Amino acid sequence: MDTTITFLQLAIPAEENFSLADTLDCGQCFRWEAEGDGWYHGVVSRRFCRAKQMPDGLLLEHAAEGDEPFWRNYFDLEVSYAAIRERLCRDRQLARAAAFAPGIRVLRQEPWETLCSFIISQNNNLGRIKGIVARLCGGFGDELSVGIHAFPRPEQLAGHTEEDLAPLRAGWRAGYLLDAADKVASGELDLDEIARMPLDDARAALQTIRGVGPKVAECALLYGFGRRECFPMDVWMKRAMKQLFPKGLPRCARADAGIAQQYIFHYARVCPEAFDKK
DNA sequence: TGCCAGGCGACGC
DNA sequence: GCGTCGCATGGC
């Protein structure tokens, strides 16, 4: 058995203001767990790794040397968030929202996993979403090493019954997951093709899945397909937008709407008392 | 105990 | 097209 532990360091310029904790805890991903001492561990696209923020960037344990481009892409490190924030912060309210967690980056996650995760997210809370995703991986995904499972491929879910998925405790979302798996595994829906479609066509294609409406499609496109102009509106965002931007998102945020959304969402979640429930 | 959670589908109008 | 309701589950 090879017991060599590999480390990979990703340099991140200080002006990026990167925060691993805010990035992993802001509700966009569901497979990272905090270990309590600054370390996190998670599985991304069949790669298990531990991550810790260092003064000059990010330290990844168990990450292969050749995977540096993969991880840089995952953490969206080829994009300057300093420049994006500069554009967004021309608006005073956006500047206020971004100030709560300027180190957030919008991860570039796998389309299929992201789609399923946000199907599970509907009328649900972050803790439970993570639990259901963990049980989905444990029950149906490949075991990568002892106790560590990949997210199940569509064909590993397709053909199962809602009864088979009962241990997930996903409730009525189980049927939605199965419909997504059946459509993707059968080729009726081609996620690679969706990735290349004009945005409105991609939205419509995703919404042919039972249980995928405007919100879930928007999240899948933003987090899983890298469509940064997408702007998911959930209950938190609706509350925040009503107070902060009753006339809609300012112009300066148009191209980076998804990233603006992440700042606003996080602000609303960490300061719920600042926003009316109605 | 009731209320709520990163919604959606079915239904009535 | 729009409002309302129920939906499974678990934390508070």
Side-chain angles (χ1 to χ4, degrees), chain A residues 159-258:
Chain A
H160 281 285
T161 63
E162 290 191 38
E163 221 167 66
D164 297 332
L165 268 60
L168 305 184
R169 316 300 294 154
W172 35 265
R173 304 166 193 85
Y176 298 164
L177 287 174
L178 292 177
D179 189 58
D182 289 339
K183 283 193 164 75
V184 174
S186 71
E188 184 182 334
L189 266 186
D190 182 343
L191 298 185
D192 294 331
E193 200 179 313
I194 289 175
R196 293 188 297 267
M197 286 180 183
L199 196 49
D200 279 334
D201 294 349
R203 287 183 173 116
L206 288 172
Q207 288 180 46
T208 62
I209 298 167
R210 192 171 157 71
V212 177
K215 159 67 172 56
V216 171
E218 206 72 357
C219 285
L221 287 165
L222 172 60
Y223 302 115
F225 291 84
R227 298 294 185 96
R228 296 321 201 206
E229 65 274 48
C230 285
F231 194 74
M233 285 280 272
D234 71 319
V235 289
W236 297 96
M237 283 298 294
K238 283 176 187 163
R239 280 173 209 156
M241 289 300 288
K242 205 165 163 185
Q243 277 179 240
L244 298 176
F245 306 103
K247 289 187 288 187
L249 200 62
R251 242 185 195 308
C252 65
R254 195 76 54 87
D256 311 301

Side-chain angles (χ1 to χ4, degrees), chain A residues 2-54:
Chain A
D2 183 11
T3 55
T4 313
I5 297 178
T6 58
F7 288 94
L8 186 62
Q9 290 197 59
L10 306 180
I12 306 174
E15 66 266 23
E16 286 293 284
N17 231 321
F18 172 70
S19 164
L20 180 65
D22 287 343
T23 297
L24 299 184
D25 293 333
C26 70
Q28 61 175 324
C29 55
F30 308 97
R31 292 212 70 197
W32 286 96
E33 292 299 332
E35 296 178 7
D37 51 0
W39 282 98
Y40 287 78
H41 63 262
V43 181
V44 180
S45 300
R46 305 178 69 84
R47 295 160 172 84
F48 171 78
C49 104
R50 297 177 74 228
K52 184 173 189 168
Q53 179 154 11
M54 307 303 274

Side-chain angles (χ1 to χ4, degrees), chain A residues 88-89 91-99 245 249-250 252-253 260 263-264:
Chain A
L88 295 179
C89 292
D91 179 272
R92 197 175 52 86
Q93 294 279 56
L94 271 175
R96 210 155 68 94
F245 306 103
L249 200 62
C252 65
Y263 292 136
I264 299 166

